[in-house]
Structures are given as structure tokens and as C-alpha cells.
Amino acid sequence: MKLYGDYHTHTLYSDGVGSIEANLNAARKKGLCAIAISDHGFNNPSPFALRYATAEMQSRRIELLRDDFPDLRIYHAIEADIISTEGDIDMKPEQFELFDYILAGFHRFARPWSLKDFFKLYIPAYISDVIRPSGDVIRRNTRAFTQMIKRYPIGILAHIDDMCIVNAREVAKCCADYGTLLELNAKHIDLTYRSFDQILATDVSLIANTDAHYPQRIGCFEHVIEYLLPYPEIWERVVNARLEEIKFRKYEY
Ligand SMILES: [Zn+2]
Ligand SMILES: [Zn+2]
């Protein structure tokens, strides 16, 4: 199975190791048609976060590099953090415009909105590997994610169920209703098949990404392909398994 683009990669402007150019070269080498530079957003503690001024610089750099890589569709995205139980993310609406689309997800190192959010959203996620989250926690997480998708123009929901466990069906349905793509992340493919079946019971569209932090990982989709082996009919729902350009959710502001 061929995947034509990698829409979630990091550079040394957050916690990746490659330059923008190194990522583009790696994408070209892998024969991809599209790549996104999507560094971690504004509330991850330094040095693992993008500053707005750095993001502006990235944007100018990418614009120039488009001439050198006419064979690649290059996107400038950002990986934002969900930081509250009300679904707040670490971005202001006036910052959206700089990016072609926004990925968003839960990250353990982001700064929560408040101390309350630290206890309600972060702590249960930190311990979710050892203590199964209660029904209340899952309901609260699910509401946080659906609120985020309703309130913000999220293009891709990154690595669902990574630490912060939700009702996958409800969140996927919300993604489908609002035009947010649901990511299958090669780095965090610990989504249970039970949750995946719930996701597939909705109309949501899927996107497979590597979340590469090293240029050499770009386009390495083996884990996702292996994960999807029991679902041969799934590929028509994976938007980057098709050649045509992806229409990301547009900002409604
Ligand atoms: Zn990272
Ligand atoms: Zn990432």
C-alpha cells in the first residue's frame, strides 16, 4: 500500500533533529508527493516549542524552498496542545492564519491552562498506563476533545487515545461532523482495535502520519500498514492513500 504524503513531521525548531530542508530532502528520497512541517506549539516548554516569531520565519523559509522542491506539496502546519477540560488549545485565533492547517492532540509536556486542568486532564493521562481511567475521566476527556474540535478549526486530530483516553466513537463522530481528519500515527499506534472499530463505525476520514522527529523516519509507514492489515477495505478512507490534494478544514473566523 502506498501513502503519498506525510502530514506530521518535526524539525529542530521543536524536538526534532533535522532542518526543514533535511525533512524535505528525506520526503523526496522516499518518493512522497507531499510533506508538512508541523512543530510543537506554543505551550510546550522551551526548547521544545515553537515561538510565534520562529513560526513566521519557518513560513518564509518554506515559501522560498517551494521553488527548490517543485515535486513536493509543502505544508506549514503546527501541532497544538489541548490544555484544558474545556478544549482550549495553546493558540490564539489570530495565529491560525500563519499555518496551512492545525494538528492538535494531548502532550504530556505541555503547560495546562490551570492547576485544575493539570489535575483533571493531565494527571489521569500520566497514570493511564497503570490505572485504567474511570468512566468519569473518559467522559471528561471526551468532552474536552469534542469541545476542542467544535471550537477550533483543527485539521488533524493527532494520535487519539495516546495517554488521554476518550470515547473513540464520540470523538470520531465529532471529527466527521466538523471535517477534522483522524490520524493513525506510526509512532503511537497503540490504539486498541476495540477503539478502532468504534472509530470505523463513524464516517470519519483517516490520515496516516509518521510523526517523524528524525528525517530518516519520514515516510516510514510500516507500523501503520501492519496495524491496518486486518482491515484491507480501509484504504479508501485514508486520505493520503490517494494522490489528490487534501482539503484541510478551513478556518471559520
Ligand atoms: Zn515531539
Ligand atoms: Zn508530533
Side-chain angles (χ1 to χ4, degrees):
M1 179 44 67
K2 169 101 180 130
L3 287 152
Y4 293 97
D6 197 343
Y7 294 86
H8 183 171
T9 78
H10 294 272
T11 70
L12 42 77
Y13 295 104
S14 64
D15 58 349
V17 301
S19 63
I20 295 173
E21 231 166 325
N23 280 23
L24 303 187
N25 275 317
R28 175 181 271 170
K29 224 168 125 189
K30 275 272 173 188
L32 299 182
C33 305
I35 178 161
I37 302 298
S38 59
D39 279 306
H40 288 288
F42 303 127
N43 253 29
N44 262 270
S46 186
F48 301 124
L50 214 47
R51 299 278 156 258
Y52 188 73
T54 322
E56 285 181 311
M57 188 277 290
Q58 280 190 320
S59 179
R60 287 193 295 271
R61 182 88 192 111
I62 288 169
E63 195 49 55
L64 290 173
L65 285 166
R66 285 196 173 111
D67 289 340
D68 299 334
F69 292 85
D71 48 323
L72 281 176
R73 277 197 304 274
I74 308 170
Y75 294 86
H76 184 210
I78 184 167
E79 185 171 19
D81 302 293
I82 184 169
I83 55 169
S84 87
T85 55
E86 292 302 312
D88 290 281
I89 61 170
D90 56 348
M91 285 181 82
K92 299 188 189 91
E94 60 269 28
Q95 296 171 330
F96 296 159
E97 226 181 313
L98 185 62
F99 302 96
D100 295 315
Y101 62 89
I102 301 166
L103 284 121
F106 177 80
H107 296 95
R108 71 181 98 184
F109 297 125
R111 263 191 303 273
W113 180 270
S114 69
L115 199 60
K116 184 190 127 225
D117 296 303
F118 178 69
F119 284 106
K120 300 258 182 200
L121 191 69
Y122 283 58
I123 294 280
Y126 291 156
I127 60 174
S128 64
D129 262 356
V130 273
I131 301 177
R132 229 181 106 78
S134 67
D136 275 354
V137 167
I138 292 173
R139 270 189 291 279
R140 194 158 59 220
N141 292 346
T142 302
R143 182 168 178 280
F145 273 82
T146 51
Q147 281 296 104
M148 174 180 80
I149 293 158
K150 289 174 187 171
R151 289 176 59 194
Y152 299 104
I154 308 298
I156 300 177
L157 179 65
H159 42 67
I160 188 172
D161 265 2
D162 177 33
M163 299 180 80
C164 198
I165 308 299
V166 295
N167 178 318
R169 184 177 187 139
E170 245 181 80
V171 171
K173 170 150 193 331
C174 191
C175 285
D177 290 347
Y178 284 81
T180 297
L181 300 169
L182 194 143
E183 181 186 66
L184 299 169
N185 186 304
K187 209 164 149 261
H188 302 276
I189 197 80
D190 36 17
L191 184 66
T192 62
Y193 280 121
R194 188 164 171 264
S195 292
F196 192 48
D197 287 335
Q198 291 175 7
I199 288 168
L200 295 183
T202 73
D203 294 330
V204 75
S205 291
L206 307 168
I207 187 164
N209 288 321
T210 65
D211 200 355
H213 285 63
Y214 298 87
Q216 58 268 34
R217 298 302 304 158
I218 287 170
C220 295
F221 292 110
E222 297 78 5
H223 287 145
V224 176
I225 292 170
E226 198 182 318
Y227 181 83
L228 293 177
L229 279 179
Y231 300 88
E233 71 292 351
I234 196 78
W235 288 100
E236 63 196 46
R237 289 178 71 164
V238 180
V239 292
N240 53 336
R242 298 192 292 267
L243 250 176
E244 64 261 33
E245 193 171 336
I246 296 169
K247 295 269 169 282
F248 287 102
R249 184 174 165 189
K250 270 290 148 220
Y251 308 144
E252 293 118 14
Y253 295 87

